Amino acid sequence: MKHFDVIVVGGGHAGTEAAHAAARMGARTALVTLRAAAIGVMSCNPAIGGLGKGHLVREIDALDGVMGQAADRAGIQFRLLNRKKGPAVQGPRAQADRTLYCRAVQAMLSAQPNLTIIEGEATDFIVNAGRIGGVILGDGAQITAEAVILTSGTFLRGLIHIGDRRSEGGRMGDRPSVPLAKRIEAMGLPLGRLKTGTPPRLDGRTINWDILESQPGDDDPVMFSFVNSAPFVRQVSCGITHTNERTHDIIRENLSRSAMYGGYIEGVGPRYCPSIEDKIVRFADKTSHQVFLEPEGLDDPTVYPNGISTSLPEDVQADYVRSIRGLENVRILQPGYAIEYDFVDPRALRPTLELRDRPGLYLAGQINGTTGYEEAGAQGLVAGVNAALSARGAEPVIFSRRTSYIGVMIDDLVTRGVSEPYRMFTSRAEFRLSLRADNADQRLTGIGRALGCVSDQRADLFAQKMSALEAGRSLLDSAQFTPKEAMARGIRVNQDGMRRSAFALLSFPDVRFAQLRDAAPELAAIAPEIAEQLARDALYANYIERQNDEAQAIERDENWAIPDGFDFAALQGLSNELRGKLARSQPQTLAQAGRVDGITPAALTLILAKLRQQQRARSA
Amino acid sequence: MDTIFALASARGKAGVSVIRLSGSGAWAAVRSLAGSLPEPRVAGLRKLWLADDVLDEAVVICFAAGASFTGEEVAELHVHGAVATVSAVLRALGALPGLRLAEPGEFTRRALEQGRLDLAQVEGLADLIEAETEAQRKQALRVLSGALGRVVDGWRADLVRAAALLEATIDFADEDVPVDVVPEVLALIDGVATSLRDEMRRLGAAERVREGFEVAILGRPNAGKSTLLNALAGREAAITSDIAGTTRDVIEVRMDLGGLAVTVLDTAGLREAQDMIEGIGIARALDRARAADLRVFLLDDEDVPLIAPEGDDLIVQGKADLGGGVGLAVSGKTGEGIDRLVAEITRILSARAAGAGVMTRERHRFALTRAVEAMESARSEVLKGADRVELAAEGLRSAIRALEMLVGRVDVEHLLDEIFASFCIGK
């Protein structure tokens, strides 16, 4: 019988990140997957990052994870979204070559010490006195471990719909993992049902690119990883086309044949990523919708038409796709489909992603009701780090909303649960101005180093950057200008006689570093990228200062721990509904309780009063 | 939980005093004093016994657990208000096993712990208990019934909408959201800002209803201010004599004028001070008079007011019994014109009270001010253009947060401390 510290089941984005993180932490780690060749496959659109999502990738990278570096290696078109808006809401995004991405992920995994990849199907868990202690494979082999991380995506009662045709499976072409799914179902975990969809895949050689608008990448591509500075491979453009009235007519006429509108689907789909049927029904007055034609790879003719996911029958798909400009003669390589699946209500999880009622078992990724590679990867990392910590008997690490998008996501999931597939947005982060993609390393690399998941090499790079930032900051602080001197450089400030530092002036709109450098030549010692970073810090410095009170209030509430087994059901005076919600999400701090959906001030007061009472009772 | 008791009505001599008990032993305790209990929620007359002595004859009301103010078993003893009687009953209760005197705010805390009140209700309740008059009661009831919550929810909804519009341009930059959201965002911000500013104006009046209005009587020494005050109050509150300068300090008399709590201030006579003590009295009189909500100038025929009357201030002819003047004339001595003066003061103050909004506390003012500032910042960032949109969104977010603070959604900890600290025993 083999023994590991941590077993990860599943080789998707959550699984790879979890296994790599656990191994980085020094845990002897096994990754169990059906096909090693499918590790790191992008099963939906061929892109990484975006708004909120790009932030997550940066944070994964700051903790020395896989996704950022793999995406840089595979990136064939880089765009910084919201480039014209402030840095807090800029999100790096890239089209990725599917093959290169898989290859990069697999290369990183095989280069990682402590990590063993096992091909096989996990069919059951080994349970010791209520604690999950390993898995049993299809061939009967048993692997024991201190902790098991399950990252099985959409395999729980996964059902694929193409029109009225249905087949079981977690992903097109993959057989469903029935025994383990049955085992999970038997655990009696709270489950919900969601759906998502994909568009048909097109043969790029049959698209009339010449008549279509094209969208190139940025002139100065921004990488995901803090250790990279330029793309690795040739860059390409995406195409843009639009649906039209005829497209909409075809879809409308065939709505009843769509799995969604034919009543075949019970799962809830994401509002931010509607199928083309949804778009046409819900926004009936729109006569056209944008479609991005995204190449899936440099040597792959497959094109992913982003914006027209569907569950219509194949013949209708062909009809409506060919009604779109530039796609008149297109060949469909694989039909679009909708998939519905069960997820585990993430309120059953601790903030470490361990199941509250099944110690030793961690869940990460789509099984927790999220969508997206980035959300999955970030959860994998959290589960991997915590499983490794638990395996060595160390205290868990909980990421706070105050310091990371990872913390925002985990907190949202475990306290509020999900009602549609959960996707990251920048608006979910109340400390958005501090939680920027550009400073993810400043926020997290130090923490990661202390935890033990950041390599020496990255730690050195980070230390160099930090000392350059500190030196630059002190130069900016010591360069002082009177209002007159500032005016002389074209910087308009109040003529109040107050001297202002170069750092303070950088926070003014329209003030550029170059202006200050001209006025104070010693600032020329600051390298351009360091100056840029300091300018981003300066822009928000005043706002962040003002948010400190709020951050402290949250910290105070975070310090009000709600003990395990706190009996919410016994709280007199709460509505049954609220009692149920609290009992389900079992908030672990007063701060989390405050974010439970529908919570009222009175309810919070009640909890606090109860906590105080218990505290008094203990101290008495 | 143990059973607590305390005097729930004001301390001191009164017609009736109410002693309240709460906890699982409340009924048993009363039964042991009264022999038997009336039906719940029905008042019953009972003799309260201590051994063979009758302590008092009291009205007893019982409330069952789940249907009482604290949510626990509750009993109320309405006893005769003599200090000695109340002390005797409290002593008798204290001697019973399992009963103890309540700590400050403990009844309310229990109500809170039993989920009988939400936070806004607790504050409203505090005011209700303090309400001495009808207008205060009405306002406190408005807060209790959730008027504050509804108003804030309305503003919050508008700001959330504005924020959502901005967020859509941020988080969905890559998608089809071409509509220019700026006009609607500005309209929403402006609408809420206008309401907030109106509410802040009403806030001053609301605070007055809660705390009571102040009316200062001003006039030269011996103009008859003290006599007037006594006539208004119907009792000898200020010393009156014929020697000028008798009132050397500010004398306050709290009274109910047409349903409003009013404190009438009798000030030192306004003249050149003859000695230091009188000088201090005059300076203090002037300060208080300026700060008062309304000034009544009591003038002799040829007098000119020493500080300028403003707004609704009243100028009355004093000592009307000594020879008629023109306009409003009163005589403290004969009572002539007093009714008219009271009517006039009531009319003015009632008009101000009518403008009172639903916000009554300093905390509310603070939150409103923060919200307005944040909205102004958001507005100016919106106008600066799309490259500052995250800063505009930040302004809206902190405005929303400030409003939520108003209804107690956050910072529960602070709020609780404040609430519990402002409660006295037995309420």
Side-chain angles (χ1 to χ4, degrees), chain A residues 155-157 180-189 191 342:
Chain A
F155 88 128
L156 283 179
R157 291 209 300 137
L180 195 61
K182 289 246 176 324
R183 188 75 173 78
I184 296 278
E185 279 160 28
M187 281 184 178
L189 298 170
L191 300 177
D342 282 356

Side-chain angles (χ1 to χ4, degrees), chain A residues 4 15 108-109 115 127 135 171 175 192 215 253 281 338 409 414 466 485 495 503 507 514 522 550 561 586:
Chain A
F4 290 89
M108 285 179 77
L109 290 194
L115 180 54
V127 186
V135 297
R171 178 168 57 199
R175 66 201 161 93
Q215 182 190 49
E253 280 158 23
V281 172
M409 174 176 65
V414 304
M466 286 309 279
E485 288 164 347
Q495 294 296 312
F503 188 76
S507 72
E522 72 271 20
E550 198 179 321
Q586 290 280 328

Side-chain angles (χ1 to χ4, degrees), chain B residues 110-125:
Chain B
R110 287 191 174 194
L112 211 57
E113 286 178 0
Q114 298 288 323
R116 305 295 296 179
L117 300 167
D118 74 31
L119 224 42
Q121 284 175 322
V122 170
E123 289 191 36
L125 187 74

Side-chain angles (χ1 to χ4, degrees), chain B residues 134-149:
Chain B
E134 190 60 18
Q136 283 180 326
R137 192 182 67 80
K138 275 186 198 150
Q139 193 182 33
L141 279 177
R142 256 209 319 268
V143 176
L144 261 181
S145 68
L148 175 60

Side-chain angles (χ1 to χ4, degrees), chain B residues 235-260:
Chain B
R235 63 187 153 107
E236 292 270 318
I239 316 150
T240 50
S241 76
D242 286 334
I243 309 154
T246 304
T247 311
R248 287 205 159 157
D249 216 332
V250 180
I251 291 182
E252 306 184 8
V253 177
R254 211 162 158 72
M255 59 184 73
D256 180 321
L257 288 184
L260 293 168

